[in-house]
Amino acid sequence: MKEFLLVISMWGNTGEEWVYTGNQYIMQELFTKQQCQIIAQNANWKKYEENKYLGLQFDCYYKDQRQ
């Protein structure tokens, strides 16, 4: 069974496009793909976004995937 990691990354808007800021958080717990995708869904999070130029992105990556 493949194991996945939940990665939360921060993005900034330049006024023209969204760019990765270089900051990310990686949850140390391993999940199945389905479990990870359920956790990452927007419906599972209450958001307070006051800065329209910063945003968080939630992704699931196969633990052995290299980028």
Side-chain angles (χ1 to χ4, degrees):
M1 172 177 67
K2 288 187 176 182
E3 297 174 304
F4 288 79
L5 295 163
L6 176 64
V7 177
I8 303 170
S9 56
M10 182 175 281
W11 293 76
N13 190 315
T14 65
E16 295 180 16
E17 64 180 337
W18 285 94
V19 295
Y20 175 61
T21 66
N23 296 326
Q24 65 182 4
Y25 296 89
I26 302 171
M27 191 167 184
Q28 296 298 303
E29 187 173 345
L30 298 174
F31 302 98
T32 65
K33 185 175 185 178
Q34 181 181 14
Q35 288 172 323
C36 188
Q37 289 174 333
I38 289 170
I39 293 169
Q41 288 177 354
N42 283 338
N44 290 319
W45 299 88
K46 188 168 188 109
K47 295 182 180 181
Y48 299 95
E49 298 177 319
E50 296 181 18
N51 187 329
K52 66 180 181 179
Y53 296 104
L54 293 175
L56 298 176
Q57 181 172 309
F58 294 71
D59 295 294
C60 298
Y61 290 101
Y62 176 51
K63 76 169 187 166
D64 292 330
Q65 180 178 346
R66 301 285 184 243
Q67 290 200 18

